[in-house]
Amino acid sequence: MRERLMAVVCLMGMAPVASGHTLDIYLSQKTAQFNFITDSSAIGFGGADLFFGLFFNEDSDYMLTTGMNVRGVPAGEQPLTFGVGGKLYLGFVDEPDQTFQSLGLGGEVRYTIPANTPMFFALEGYYAPPITSLSNGDGLWDLAVRYELEVTPGAAGFIGYRRVEVDLDKQEDYRLDDRFHFGIRINF
């Protein structure tokens, strides 16, 4: 428990170094995810979202993530938004005692529901093949879907489902997350 608290404090400590921040937190009965998202201009490259994440579950599995995602709206006035990017995963699996590092490529699709209250559906996915997976990892899938509703201009609530599956040397198709969750997104 102390390690979890220290990791969250370190993640929160990164907030003052960048501008245009978002904190995205989700919880389920057995998992938790904390994401800090900022503009990539913090590292001298603007126009993309730079993110850092911490995931853990009740099985004492931990996963750190970082990556960049570029979003854009297609020509015309369409309610769709597309994004592409990469994500680096560093995982620590308790049983079996193994670690993995994976570089995944993927993106997201968002559909904004035309209404007075801003809301949308989002589908996000990343895949890391065996060639970009190191240590005990032989590949990774990270898939998520969510429905988000803006409560105030700076805060939103969401419900969703996420499945994170990694192939390990000692166990194929090890699921770190396979649950429905709820969460909040705060912009500051």
Side-chain angles (χ1 to χ4, degrees), residues 18-20 37-51 67-70:
S19 61
I37 307 161
T38 189
D39 185 84
S40 61
S41 61
I43 59 170
F45 174 74
D49 287 336
L50 177 66
F51 53 89
M68 218 182 279
N69 192 3
V70 179

PDB file of all heavy atoms in Angstrom, residues 18-20 37-51 67-70:
ATOM      1  N   ALA A  18       4.275  21.470 -16.127  1.00  0.00           N
ATOM      2  CA  ALA A  18       3.665  21.624 -17.448  1.00  0.00           C
ATOM      3  C   ALA A  18       2.432  22.503 -17.353  1.00  0.00           C
ATOM      4  O   ALA A  18       1.972  22.856 -16.288  1.00  0.00           O
ATOM      5  CB  ALA A  18       3.298  20.250 -17.990  1.00  0.00           C
ATOM      6  N   SER A  19       1.912  22.873 -18.524  1.00  0.00           N
ATOM      7  CA  SER A  19       0.713  23.710 -18.541  1.00  0.00           C
ATOM      8  C   SER A  19      -0.407  22.988 -19.264  1.00  0.00           C
ATOM      9  O   SER A  19      -0.158  22.168 -20.132  1.00  0.00           O
ATOM     10  CB  SER A  19       1.027  25.034 -19.247  1.00  0.00           C
ATOM     11  OG  SER A  19       1.416  24.780 -20.581  1.00  0.00           O
ATOM     12  N   GLY A  20      -1.663  23.331 -18.930  1.00  0.00           N
ATOM     13  CA  GLY A  20      -2.811  22.679 -19.553  1.00  0.00           C
ATOM     14  C   GLY A  20      -2.925  21.233 -19.120  1.00  0.00           C
ATOM     15  O   GLY A  20      -2.742  20.333 -19.919  1.00  0.00           O
ATOM     16  N   ILE A  37      -2.218  14.027 -17.919  1.00  0.00           N
ATOM     17  CA  ILE A  37      -2.123  14.363 -19.336  1.00  0.00           C
ATOM     18  C   ILE A  37      -1.814  15.849 -19.453  1.00  0.00           C
ATOM     19  O   ILE A  37      -2.431  16.670 -18.772  1.00  0.00           O
ATOM     20  CB  ILE A  37      -3.447  14.038 -20.065  1.00  0.00           C
ATOM     21  CG1 ILE A  37      -3.851  12.588 -19.806  1.00  0.00           C
ATOM     22  CG2 ILE A  37      -3.315  14.308 -21.557  1.00  0.00           C
ATOM     23  CD1 ILE A  37      -5.299  12.284 -20.070  1.00  0.00           C
ATOM     24  N   THR A  38      -0.873  16.188 -20.325  1.00  0.00           N
ATOM     25  CA  THR A  38      -0.512  17.577 -20.551  1.00  0.00           C
ATOM     26  C   THR A  38      -0.162  17.767 -22.020  1.00  0.00           C
ATOM     27  O   THR A  38      -0.042  16.792 -22.774  1.00  0.00           O
ATOM     28  CB  THR A  38       0.659  17.997 -19.634  1.00  0.00           C
ATOM     29  OG1 THR A  38       0.847  19.397 -19.730  1.00  0.00           O
ATOM     30  CG2 THR A  38       1.938  17.274 -19.990  1.00  0.00           C
ATOM     31  N   ASP A  39       0.027  19.006 -22.415  1.00  0.00           N
ATOM     32  CA  ASP A  39       0.428  19.305 -23.789  1.00  0.00           C
ATOM     33  C   ASP A  39       1.909  18.960 -23.951  1.00  0.00           C
ATOM     34  O   ASP A  39       2.710  19.203 -23.057  1.00  0.00           O
ATOM     35  CB  ASP A  39       0.176  20.781 -24.093  1.00  0.00           C
ATOM     36  CG  ASP A  39       0.451  21.103 -25.538  1.00  0.00           C
ATOM     37  OD1 ASP A  39      -0.450  20.891 -26.370  1.00  0.00           O
ATOM     38  OD2 ASP A  39       1.568  21.554 -25.823  1.00  0.00           O
ATOM     39  N   SER A  40       2.261  18.444 -25.098  1.00  0.00           N
ATOM     40  CA  SER A  40       3.650  18.029 -25.323  1.00  0.00           C
ATOM     41  C   SER A  40       4.612  19.204 -25.450  1.00  0.00           C
ATOM     42  O   SER A  40       5.822  18.990 -25.556  1.00  0.00           O
ATOM     43  CB  SER A  40       3.737  17.143 -26.566  1.00  0.00           C
ATOM     44  OG  SER A  40       3.294  17.863 -27.701  1.00  0.00           O
ATOM     45  N   SER A  41       4.121  20.434 -25.408  1.00  0.00           N
ATOM     46  CA  SER A  41       5.029  21.586 -25.441  1.00  0.00           C
ATOM     47  C   SER A  41       5.929  21.611 -24.200  1.00  0.00           C
ATOM     48  O   SER A  41       6.956  22.283 -24.190  1.00  0.00           O
ATOM     49  CB  SER A  41       4.246  22.893 -25.556  1.00  0.00           C
ATOM     50  OG  SER A  41       3.400  23.063 -24.438  1.00  0.00           O
ATOM     51  N   ALA A  42       5.567  20.868 -23.167  1.00  0.00           N
ATOM     52  CA  ALA A  42       6.402  20.771 -21.965  1.00  0.00           C
ATOM     53  C   ALA A  42       7.764  20.164 -22.272  1.00  0.00           C
ATOM     54  O   ALA A  42       8.733  20.404 -21.559  1.00  0.00           O
ATOM     55  CB  ALA A  42       5.697  19.941 -20.895  1.00  0.00           C
ATOM     56  N   ILE A  43       7.863  19.381 -23.366  1.00  0.00           N
ATOM     57  CA  ILE A  43       9.142  18.791 -23.765  1.00  0.00           C
ATOM     58  C   ILE A  43       9.652  19.415 -25.067  1.00  0.00           C
ATOM     59  O   ILE A  43      10.533  18.858 -25.715  1.00  0.00           O
ATOM     60  CB  ILE A  43       9.033  17.258 -23.890  1.00  0.00           C
ATOM     61  CG1 ILE A  43       7.977  16.870 -24.926  1.00  0.00           C
ATOM     62  CG2 ILE A  43       8.763  16.625 -22.550  1.00  0.00           C
ATOM     63  CD1 ILE A  43       7.978  15.396 -25.293  1.00  0.00           C
ATOM     64  N   GLY A  44       9.068  20.552 -25.467  1.00  0.00           N
ATOM     65  CA  GLY A  44       9.540  21.262 -26.641  1.00  0.00           C
ATOM     66  C   GLY A  44       8.921  20.827 -27.950  1.00  0.00           C
ATOM     67  O   GLY A  44       9.402  21.202 -29.014  1.00  0.00           O
ATOM     68  N   PHE A  45       7.869  20.027 -27.907  1.00  0.00           N
ATOM     69  CA  PHE A  45       7.200  19.557 -29.109  1.00  0.00           C
ATOM     70  C   PHE A  45       5.705  19.738 -28.907  1.00  0.00           C
ATOM     71  O   PHE A  45       5.070  18.961 -28.221  1.00  0.00           O
ATOM     72  CB  PHE A  45       7.536  18.076 -29.350  1.00  0.00           C
ATOM     73  CG  PHE A  45       6.784  17.451 -30.484  1.00  0.00           C
ATOM     74  CD1 PHE A  45       7.115  17.738 -31.790  1.00  0.00           C
ATOM     75  CD2 PHE A  45       5.738  16.575 -30.243  1.00  0.00           C
ATOM     76  CE1 PHE A  45       6.418  17.164 -32.838  1.00  0.00           C
ATOM     77  CE2 PHE A  45       5.033  15.992 -31.278  1.00  0.00           C
ATOM     78  CZ  PHE A  45       5.380  16.296 -32.585  1.00  0.00           C
ATOM     79  N   GLY A  46       5.129  20.781 -29.472  1.00  0.00           N
ATOM     80  CA  GLY A  46       3.713  21.073 -29.249  1.00  0.00           C
ATOM     81  C   GLY A  46       2.799  20.332 -30.205  1.00  0.00           C
ATOM     82  O   GLY A  46       3.227  19.734 -31.177  1.00  0.00           O
ATOM     83  N   GLY A  47       1.502  20.362 -29.876  1.00  0.00           N
ATOM     84  CA  GLY A  47       0.490  19.792 -30.757  1.00  0.00           C
ATOM     85  C   GLY A  47       0.057  18.384 -30.438  1.00  0.00           C
ATOM     86  O   GLY A  47      -0.710  17.789 -31.188  1.00  0.00           O
ATOM     87  N   ALA A  48       0.527  17.824 -29.352  1.00  0.00           N
ATOM     88  CA  ALA A  48       0.144  16.458 -28.993  1.00  0.00           C
ATOM     89  C   ALA A  48      -0.141  16.395 -27.502  1.00  0.00           C
ATOM     90  O   ALA A  48       0.213  17.287 -26.748  1.00  0.00           O
ATOM     91  CB  ALA A  48       1.263  15.477 -29.345  1.00  0.00           C
ATOM     92  N   ASP A  49      -0.808  15.325 -27.087  1.00  0.00           N
ATOM     93  CA  ASP A  49      -1.028  15.062 -25.668  1.00  0.00           C
ATOM     94  C   ASP A  49       0.093  14.155 -25.174  1.00  0.00           C
ATOM     95  O   ASP A  49       0.369  13.108 -25.758  1.00  0.00           O
ATOM     96  CB  ASP A  49      -2.366  14.354 -25.434  1.00  0.00           C
ATOM     97  CG  ASP A  49      -3.558  15.259 -25.625  1.00  0.00           C
ATOM     98  OD1 ASP A  49      -3.397  16.486 -25.497  1.00  0.00           O
ATOM     99  OD2 ASP A  49      -4.648  14.742 -25.917  1.00  0.00           O
ATOM    100  N   LEU A  50       0.738  14.549 -24.104  1.00  0.00           N
ATOM    101  CA  LEU A  50       1.770  13.768 -23.444  1.00  0.00           C
ATOM    102  C   LEU A  50       1.155  13.226 -22.161  1.00  0.00           C
ATOM    103  O   LEU A  50       0.541  13.978 -21.411  1.00  0.00           O
ATOM    104  CB  LEU A  50       2.973  14.666 -23.130  1.00  0.00           C
ATOM    105  CG  LEU A  50       4.136  14.049 -22.371  1.00  0.00           C
ATOM    106  CD1 LEU A  50       4.817  12.974 -23.214  1.00  0.00           C
ATOM    107  CD2 LEU A  50       5.135  15.144 -21.994  1.00  0.00           C
ATOM    108  N   PHE A  51       1.277  11.918 -21.913  1.00  0.00           N
ATOM    109  CA  PHE A  51       0.632  11.362 -20.730  1.00  0.00           C
ATOM    110  C   PHE A  51       1.547  10.423 -19.966  1.00  0.00           C
ATOM    111  O   PHE A  51       2.464   9.824 -20.509  1.00  0.00           O
ATOM    112  CB  PHE A  51      -0.679  10.656 -21.095  1.00  0.00           C
ATOM    113  CG  PHE A  51      -0.549   9.618 -22.173  1.00  0.00           C
ATOM    114  CD1 PHE A  51      -0.243   8.306 -21.872  1.00  0.00           C
ATOM    115  CD2 PHE A  51      -0.747   9.958 -23.500  1.00  0.00           C
ATOM    116  CE1 PHE A  51      -0.125   7.353 -22.851  1.00  0.00           C
ATOM    117  CE2 PHE A  51      -0.640   9.014 -24.497  1.00  0.00           C
ATOM    118  CZ  PHE A  51      -0.323   7.708 -24.176  1.00  0.00           C
ATOM    119  N   GLY A  67       3.401   8.104 -22.919  1.00  0.00           N
ATOM    120  CA  GLY A  67       3.241   8.128 -24.363  1.00  0.00           C
ATOM    121  C   GLY A  67       2.787   9.465 -24.873  1.00  0.00           C
ATOM    122  O   GLY A  67       2.655  10.438 -24.122  1.00  0.00           O
ATOM    123  N   MET A  68       2.544   9.493 -26.180  1.00  0.00           N
ATOM    124  CA  MET A  68       2.103  10.702 -26.845  1.00  0.00           C
ATOM    125  C   MET A  68       1.007  10.329 -27.838  1.00  0.00           C
ATOM    126  O   MET A  68       1.061   9.281 -28.467  1.00  0.00           O
ATOM    127  CB  MET A  68       3.272  11.336 -27.592  1.00  0.00           C
ATOM    128  CG  MET A  68       3.263  12.830 -27.527  1.00  0.00           C
ATOM    129  SD  MET A  68       4.586  13.565 -28.455  1.00  0.00           S
ATOM    130  CE  MET A  68       5.936  13.406 -27.326  1.00  0.00           C
ATOM    131  N   ASN A  69       0.008  11.222 -27.936  1.00  0.00           N
ATOM    132  CA  ASN A  69      -1.127  10.996 -28.820  1.00  0.00           C
ATOM    133  C   ASN A  69      -1.466  12.304 -29.522  1.00  0.00           C
ATOM    134  O   ASN A  69      -1.585  13.335 -28.875  1.00  0.00           O
ATOM    135  CB  ASN A  69      -2.321  10.503 -27.994  1.00  0.00           C
ATOM    136  CG  ASN A  69      -3.433   9.964 -28.839  1.00  0.00           C
ATOM    137  OD1 ASN A  69      -3.345   9.886 -30.044  1.00  0.00           O
ATOM    138  ND2 ASN A  69      -4.516   9.581 -28.186  1.00  0.00           N
ATOM    139  N   VAL A  70      -1.595  12.265 -30.847  1.00  0.00           N
ATOM    140  CA  VAL A  70      -1.971  13.435 -31.632  1.00  0.00           C
ATOM    141  C   VAL A  70      -3.414  13.270 -32.065  1.00  0.00           C
ATOM    142  O   VAL A  70      -3.784  12.236 -32.616  1.00  0.00           O
ATOM    143  CB  VAL A  70      -1.055  13.585 -32.874  1.00  0.00           C
ATOM    144  CG1 VAL A  70      -1.464  14.792 -33.691  1.00  0.00           C
ATOM    145  CG2 VAL A  70       0.392  13.681 -32.460  1.00  0.00           C
TER     146      VAL A  70
END
